[in-house]
Amino acid sequence: MVDRSRSPSVDIDALLQNADLWTELEPYYDEAIERVGMSQWPIQAENEFLACMLAWEYAPVLPIYRWFEPELRPPRPDQLSDDELPDILYEVINKLWEKRIVLDFTDHLSDRELYTLIYRDILPAREKKLDLGNNYLHWDCTGPSPDPEIWLRYYASDQEREEWARTYHRPPPPKSKPPYPRRLPREPE
């Protein structure tokens, strides 16, 4: 009996696509591609991976506010009253989510602190605008500092806190509940 679920023309098309993808990737080829170890992958999986790599190479690097049409230019934080701030904050968060930008670790920040972080750090950040439909840009809102205090205090699991203590030979800060719990859009699991 002939298995018609795998047509030879599909395999040939996938192989031709694979050759085209490798040819297009050649200018960007380096040893990092070899480390992925695609030799055992099905051809379709390899093609998807190579297409993602090409999308990465071709994606423009833009300030995040320019990912939007029109540009996302919310009011300056000091121009907003305490009454105006929550609505505008969540409007901006939802717009970021539409571009698959996920804000992680925000519950230690007040609304004004979070809005200021978005305005000052996230919107002007130059990032690759990769539009694959299933990719997410996660923004760690614990700050640029290498000091893990915030993460350890509010977000680390007990196991992560124990591992940190063993690695750095000192106790982590006391565990606390974040003062501003919120339900923000998350990447689907």
Side-chain angles (χ1 to χ4, degrees):
M1 183 187 278
V2 175
D3 179 6
R4 300 212 183 269
S5 65
R6 283 185 57 100
S7 162
S9 67
V10 172
D11 290 343
I12 291 170
D13 290 343
L15 288 170
L16 290 171
Q17 180 189 21
N18 187 267
D20 289 343
L21 288 165
W22 276 111
T23 300
E24 202 169 343
L25 268 170
E26 182 162 1
Y28 309 105
Y29 188 85
D30 64 17
E31 67 279 351
I33 294 174
E34 294 171 8
R35 284 189 244 143
V36 174
M38 291 180 280
S39 62
Q40 303 301 314
W41 292 11
I43 194 74
Q44 275 309 117
E46 182 175 329
N47 286 352
E48 288 172 21
F49 180 77
L50 295 174
C52 288
M53 288 181 62
L54 271 174
W56 173 263
E57 294 296 343
Y58 294 149
V61 177
L62 300 170
I64 290 175
Y65 70 84
R66 288 192 46 213
W67 290 19
F68 298 85
E69 186 61 44
E71 292 180 354
L72 182 55
R73 298 288 200 152
R76 293 171 42 96
D78 59 0
Q79 294 175 337
L80 295 174
S81 71
D82 290 342
D83 292 335
E84 296 170 309
L85 182 70
D87 289 339
I88 293 174
L89 170 64
Y90 282 94
E91 180 182 321
V92 170
I93 288 170
N94 287 325
K95 285 184 179 189
L96 291 171
W97 170 246
E98 289 171 9
K99 296 295 184 185
R100 292 183 307 283
I101 299 171
V102 177
L103 304 179
D104 294 322
F105 311 120
T106 66
D107 296 351
H108 67 286
L109 299 168
S110 69
D111 282 355
R112 186 163 300 278
E113 290 168 329
L114 179 56
Y115 185 81
T116 300
L117 176 86
I118 292 169
Y119 185 87
R120 182 194 65 218
D121 296 341
I122 298 174
L123 292 177
R126 297 179 61 82
E127 296 287 339
K128 286 252 189 190
K129 184 178 187 264
L130 199 59
D131 202 9
L132 296 175
N134 62 353
N135 60 305
Y136 291 83
L137 171 63
H138 285 263
W139 196 277
D140 182 342
C141 295
T142 58
S145 163
D147 179 7
E149 168 96 14
I150 293 169
W151 179 75
L152 287 167
R153 180 177 300 276
Y154 297 117
Y155 305 107
S157 68
D158 291 338
Q159 180 182 351
E160 291 166 329
R161 290 167 54 80
E162 288 172 16
E163 288 174 16
W164 186 88
R166 275 195 306 273
T167 300
Y168 294 99
H169 308 292
R170 60 182 209 200
K175 191 168 178 110
S176 301
K177 287 191 185 270
Y180 307 101
R182 23 179 100 77
R183 291 180 52 89
L184 298 183
R186 309 294 327 144
E187 178 177 355
E189 293 181 20

